[in-house]
Amino acid sequence: MNAESDGRDGGVAATTADPATGDVKGDERELGSRAPQYIQARRTLHLSWQVGVFVVGLAVVIAGIIMLPLPGPGWVVIFGGMAIWATEFVWAQLVMRWTKRKLTEAAQKALDPKVRRRNIILTTIGLVIVAVLVGIYVWKFGIVMPWKIDE
């Protein structure tokens, strides 16, 4: 396998594996099934394995989608389901690599001193506006708890 991308892999950098140890150099593992060799060697068993991984991943993703409007860590569960799929399917591995790359870029951008300064200034301005609005509300209506309102 080449250590460089030839441009036909959809922008995914190729990695090289050390034949002696099987370790993958770089920060990315090779694409493909992570099923045990025993399962991969038998076509019917491997297909059953893939169906099982897909069903479990789908159940986790659906649970995450249900948690989006309801209480619960919806996005975390969705990405957990994608990680389950990524153990077996190349398309899910590519999606996870793209997501990891974008999150890393966003984290690097957020740590930039100019961006941090801007975010701190905008947060401060937002807090001041909220404090002023709360102050105006309290000045106009006072502090009345909802259970003590007389109708």
Side-chain angles (χ1 to χ4, degrees):
M1 184 185 289
N2 283 339
E4 298 177 8
S5 173
D6 61 359
R8 292 182 288 168
D9 59 357
V12 177
T15 58
T16 58
D18 184 5
T21 62
D23 292 338
V24 176
K25 296 177 183 176
D27 60 344
E28 296 180 354
R29 295 177 63 179
E30 289 187 29
L31 297 175
S33 176
R34 306 245 193 317
Q37 288 297 96
Y38 175 81
I39 292 174
Q40 288 184 13
R42 289 150 182 84
R43 176 113 173 102
T44 306
L45 189 57
H46 192 232
L47 185 61
S48 301
W49 178 272
Q50 286 181 327
V51 168
V53 167
F54 183 79
V55 169
V56 170
L58 183 64
V60 173
V61 168
I62 289 173
I65 291 171
I66 291 171
M67 286 184 202
L68 287 176
L70 300 175
W75 285 110
V76 173
V77 174
I78 289 172
F79 286 122
M82 287 297 296
I84 291 170
W85 280 338
T87 64
E88 196 58 35
F89 302 108
V90 173
W91 61 267
Q93 293 168 1
L94 294 174
V95 169
M96 293 299 285
R97 282 184 183 179
W98 179 84
T99 304
K100 183 178 178 182
R101 188 171 56 249
K102 291 298 179 183
L103 286 174
T104 303
E105 290 172 7
Q108 291 293 331
K109 188 176 179 182
L111 292 176
D112 180 30
K114 290 180 182 177
V115 174
R116 287 186 67 204
R117 191 175 317 119
R118 182 198 67 202
N119 289 345
I120 290 171
I121 290 170
L122 289 175
T123 302
T124 304
I125 290 171
L127 288 174
V128 168
I129 290 172
V130 168
V132 167
L133 291 175
V134 168
I136 291 172
Y137 180 85
V138 169
W139 172 71
K140 185 153 179 110
F141 299 108
I143 298 178
V144 178
M145 296 298 152
W147 51 85
K148 292 187 178 180
I149 295 178
D150 296 330
E151 293 188 52

